[in-house]
Amino acid sequence: MNVELLASNLKDLGYAVNVFDCKEDAAKYLCANINNTSVGIGGSVTVQELNLYEELAKNNDVYWHWEKAEIAKANSADVYLSSVNGISMDGEIINIDGTGNRVASILYGHKKVYLIFGINKIAENYELALDRARNIAAVKNAIRLKKNTPCVKTGKCMNCKSPERICRGLTVLWEKPKGQDYKIIIVKEELGY
Ligand code: SF4
């Protein structure tokens, strides 16, 4: 994947973008730039792999429902951190959610949103980005959460009607939404699902 081209396309869509060679450098940058504020984190294996909850909590009030049931505080924090489930080379950013807290926060309500992802999230076009969000990210998350859904057995999305379905909402950012700052952090490694 041409990360520099993606970064350039995202800048054209209004986002600030930083590219890092490794997750350690990305984490160092984030910790240096997020201080003395409130931080909400969405469900994210990528954020977990960067160890950001522990590091940011040294200088900030950090709310993450993977650590404590504080979704409301996370959703009203000044800064919000999430990864993405898929992104096209044109810069379309795709996320799937079960509760809706993460996609809501990515869209609206914070002073600044950081979207952090590795090269495995990048797809050639919108259709392939959507496909990876549904058939890779969602399925791996269903497996991680030990859901009783057909994808856990088949390894691909069956568009189930299961009561345990984790895919209940899909958002696509075509451009940077108005009214809040976005910083996109691309790491030239595979991270999360
Ligand atoms: S089978 Fe259901 S839970 Fe699994 S990825 Fe598809 S919609 Fe989501």
Side-chain angles (χ1 to χ4, degrees), residues 134-136 138-140 142-143 147-160:
R134 298 201 74 179
N135 286 297
I136 297 176
V139 174
K140 286 188 174 180
I143 292 168
K147 293 295 182 186
N148 183 19
T149 52
C151 57
V152 170
K153 297 181 188 85
T154 64
K156 64 175 189 169
C157 178
M158 308 299 284
N159 197 21
C160 70

Side-chain angles (χ1 to χ4, degrees), residues 20-119:
F20 296 93
D21 286 333
C22 63
K23 64 180 180 181
E24 290 79 12
D25 287 353
K28 217 178 284 175
Y29 170 87
L30 288 161
C31 291
N33 283 276
I34 303 172
N35 281 298
N36 303 315
T37 189
S38 54
V39 181
I41 305 177
S44 169
V45 173
T46 296
V47 169
Q48 191 175 48
E49 288 175 350
L50 267 66
N51 211 28
L52 289 174
Y53 177 82
E54 292 78 2
E55 290 303 314
L56 290 173
K58 292 175 184 170
N59 294 316
N60 301 278
D61 295 324
V62 184
Y63 306 107
W64 195 19
H65 63 287
W66 284 13
E67 293 287 331
K68 269 187 251 165
E70 293 179 320
I71 284 182
K73 285 183 179 170
N75 283 27
S76 60
D78 283 346
V79 173
Y80 196 79
L81 268 55
S82 175
S83 188
V84 308
N85 295 134
I87 180 165
S88 74
M89 281 300 294
D90 287 337
E92 292 143 320
I93 297 170
I94 295 174
N95 281 290
I96 292 173
D97 208 351
T99 305
N101 60 301
R102 188 173 68 96
V103 293
S105 273
I106 288 171
L107 286 173
Y108 186 74
H110 302 274
K111 288 183 182 161
K112 189 152 192 162
V113 174
Y114 288 89
L115 297 174
I116 307 151
F117 58 87
I119 49 172

